Amino acid sequence: GKYGDEPGSNGLTLDRQGRLILAEHGDRRISAMPLADGGKRTIADNYQGKRFNSPNDVVQHSSGAYYFTDPPYGMPKKQDDPTREINWFGVYRAGTDGVVTLLTKDMTRPNGLAFSPDEKTLYVAQSDPDKAIIMAFSVQADGSVGQGKVFFDATPMVKQGLPGLPDGLKTDQNGNVWSTGPGGVLILNPSGQLLGRIETGEATANCGWGDDGSTLYLTADMYLCRIKTKIKGAGR
């Protein structure tokens, strides 16, 4: 049988130990790879004994816990794949004790995620053309999340024919959300108001700050782009 539709990794982040953390679509796990000497260790590959679908994106909380999403995109037959063991597409937390907690199973296609600078809010993008939204969840003291609310609804932009869906997202030092979405990158203030859009003209999947924190890098279809910003990324 076919191993995976996307056999490698998808979302990446650097953790507080300087390791590269991978959301592995093909191996259906979250793993850590030390950059100095290589080799990978599994952080999480199942929830209550059931294998994940295909972890997509991952971010680390200051507590050391990893938060990640688990849509079906890396599976050969996506949501209809016979090897699926979990019948929802969840958002999860892997604690420093190794325990995996389900945060929500109410999203249809959870994708990119990021914390607000104060870590009181977890933003999660949903790559569903019929409900192209960004959700905001309040983060509780124990690391769980409260009831989610729609932070921004990009579905009308999708219906207008703009290419792309909410996918990768980051926050800046002022708490604004920079999310890929229909037409390019959407810039939203902490109240969820659209401040502007970086028009790429392509389906844009991911964004992240590099260099001194004020260069935003974008992956837009077959292009790798960069743009200088007047604000720096929040660094998570």
Side-chain angles (χ1 to χ4, degrees):
K2 189 178 177 185
Y3 176 62
D5 195 48
E6 298 179 21
S9 62
N10 192 72
L12 305 168
T13 192
L14 291 170
D15 75 358
R16 284 163 171 78
Q17 297 165 244
R19 303 181 301 176
L20 183 65
I21 307 301
L22 306 96
E24 296 201 56
H25 259 181
D27 281 347
R28 301 169 69 167
R29 66 175 180 167
I30 301 293
S31 63
M33 183 173 73
L35 294 176
D37 45 13
K40 287 190 288 191
R41 299 191 67 171
T42 298
I43 293 172
D45 63 6
N46 73 92
Y47 173 66
Q48 297 184 348
K50 296 182 185 293
R51 292 177 73 195
F52 295 129
N53 298 302
S54 57
N56 180 281
D57 202 5
V58 57
V59 66
Q60 190 181 33
H61 186 268
S62 61
S63 66
Y66 301 98
Y67 288 66
F68 59 97
T69 56
D70 187 40
Y73 299 128
M75 310 185 88
K77 296 184 179 177
K78 307 294 190 284
Q79 69 271 12
D80 300 320
D81 201 88
T83 66
R84 272 188 65 194
E85 297 180 19
I86 298 174
N87 63 3
W88 60 75
F89 306 117
V91 182
Y92 297 90
R93 174 186 185 272
T96 53
D97 56 2
V99 175
V100 175
T101 307
L102 173 66
L103 300 176
T104 180
K105 60 179 181 180
D106 295 334
M107 296 183 69
T108 54
R109 292 292 186 273
N111 202 314
L113 74 174
F115 287 105
S116 59
D118 62 10
E119 294 189 324
K120 291 181 178 177
T121 305
L122 175 68
Y123 299 104
V124 185
Q126 177 163 283
S127 300
D128 182 341
D130 295 319
K131 198 174 183 183
I133 57 175
I134 299 168
M135 294 290 292
F137 298 90
S138 58
V139 181
Q140 310 299 309
D142 65 357
S144 64
V145 300
Q147 185 69 33
K149 65 179 182 184
V150 176
F151 177 70
F152 186 78
D153 186 354
T155 316
M157 296 179 177
V158 176
K159 303 304 181 191
Q160 290 170 23
L162 293 171
L165 294 165
D167 194 331
L169 58 82
K170 296 287 187 291
T171 57
D172 68 22
Q173 291 179 339
N174 287 351
N176 300 310
V177 175
W178 300 57
S179 174
T180 60
V185 178
L186 312 179
I187 304 160
L188 308 155
N189 73 10
S191 300
Q193 295 174 304
L194 182 65
L195 301 178
R197 186 169 62 209
I198 300 172
E199 297 273 7
T200 64
E202 303 286 346
T204 305
N206 219 329
C207 62
W209 276 280
D211 303 332
D212 67 350
S214 64
T215 304
L216 188 72
Y217 287 84
L218 320 172
T219 55
D221 202 355
M222 290 314 194
Y223 299 97
L224 174 62
C225 313
R226 67 182 176 187
I227 184 171
K228 289 291 288 184
T229 57
K230 294 180 179 179
I231 187 74
K232 289 187 177 182
R236 66 178 77 258

